[in-house]
Amino acid sequence: MTPVVSIREATFLAGGKRAVDRVSLDVAPGSTVAILGPSGSGKTSLMRLCAGLEVLDGGSIHLSGQLASEAGLHRVPVEARGLAMAFQYPALLPHLTVLQNTTLGLQGPKADVADRGHRCLQDVGLAGFESRRVWQLSGGEAQRVALARALARRCRLLLLDEPFANVDRLNRRDLIVRLGDRLREGGGPDCAVLLVSHDPADALDLADRTVLMKDGRIAADGAFGDIAAGSCGEWASTFLSVARQP
């Protein structure tokens, strides 16, 4: 089966440093892959390359078999990549309501679009927030709206960058459960998810495959339990150990 994302020898320079250093990675349809690592490891840069928000300095990225990016050039623009994104900073439009932010850009009959927005807000625990304005939201609530907006898109690839960064620990567990249910229900049988996080617990709770990055390279790739048990070395096992602590 053709991977939703196929990354080959991807290299990206930032400030003269190899933020992403010859990374190769395939993401299968229907899978949820967590990319973990310390700050500066290259995980967010790799996601932005997949999205077409940064330009490769070397290597290539294919989306569903189509060449999307190569060194110095985007073959497929961001808007044509068939993906949805939710990043650490929600980037909501303050003149729109919560529902309008959630459904922004969706096509179709007005009633159908509104219904999809209502369902996605319910999926992230914000039922009843539809008419609120952005300034009436907490940081965690705004992040939930951004997540609902991404879920509302029918896409082949869902990109999530630190989706729980502004959510307090009390509400994080509820959102994890809700998002896990939503991802299992899926945006379609071929929709893949790339989840970037610094927190190993996100991979443990949501992903079926874990990738660890260090110094711009992949340091481990496999099942969370196997990596935690030491299959990819002591550094990887130690990094994941925080998720196993009570």
Side-chain angles (χ1 to χ4, degrees), residues 64-243:
S64 300
Q66 180 183 13
L67 179 62
S69 298
E70 58 185 332
L73 182 64
H74 290 317
R75 293 288 186 181
V76 179
V78 177
E79 64 273 13
R81 294 195 173 206
L83 50 83
M85 300 172 277
F87 291 117
Q88 182 174 353
Y89 303 103
L92 304 180
L93 299 179
H95 63 286
L96 300 180
T97 65
V98 164
L99 181 60
Q100 289 169 336
N101 269 286
T102 302
T103 59
L104 185 66
L106 296 183
Q107 302 297 316
K110 187 175 181 179
D112 292 347
V113 169
D115 181 64
R116 199 189 318 176
H118 285 298
R119 285 187 284 109
C120 289
L121 287 169
Q122 185 174 5
D123 285 340
V124 299
L126 291 182
F129 280 65
E130 287 84 354
S131 63
R132 295 195 188 186
R133 297 286 180 172
V134 172
W135 63 81
Q136 296 175 305
L137 303 175
S138 69
E141 289 166 348
Q143 189 134 33
R144 287 179 182 232
V145 175
L147 184 55
R149 181 174 58 191
L151 293 174
R153 272 82 190 140
R154 293 193 176 100
C155 60
R156 60 182 171 186
L157 178 62
L158 176 61
L159 303 177
L160 304 176
D161 186 8
E162 302 283 4
F164 316 115
N166 295 315
V167 180
D168 61 76
R169 301 299 294 185
L170 182 63
N171 289 315
R172 179 186 177 278
R173 183 70 244 169
D174 173 66
L175 186 54
I176 284 278
V177 171
R178 289 175 179 274
L179 181 58
D181 290 343
R182 181 65 168 78
L183 294 180
R184 282 186 288 273
E185 176 186 318
D190 296 330
C191 180
V193 180
L194 271 181
L195 166 68
V196 162
S197 179
H198 69 282
D199 189 343
D202 293 343
L204 179 62
D205 290 333
L206 289 172
D208 44 48
R209 178 179 165 202
T210 298
V211 174
L212 292 187
M213 292 191 68
K214 181 183 180 184
D215 299 327
R217 296 186 175 185
I218 292 178
D221 184 354
F224 185 98
D226 293 342
I227 298 173
S231 65
C232 296
E234 183 178 357
W235 178 85
S237 176
T238 300
F239 185 87
L240 294 186
S241 66
V242 64

Side-chain angles (χ1 to χ4, degrees), residues 48-76:
R48 289 178 61 85
L49 287 167
C50 291
L53 299 176
E54 303 289 358
V55 178
L56 285 166
D57 290 293
S60 65
I61 296 175
H62 287 73
L63 297 175
S64 300
Q66 180 183 13
L67 179 62
S69 298
E70 58 185 332
L73 182 64
H74 290 317
R75 293 288 186 181
V76 179

Side-chain angles (χ1 to χ4, degrees), residues 7-12 20-25 56-60:
I7 303 169
R8 288 292 173 269
E9 295 289 316
T11 299
F12 173 64
V20 176
D21 189 4
R22 292 171 293 175
V23 167
S24 294
L25 178 71
L56 285 166
D57 290 293
S60 65

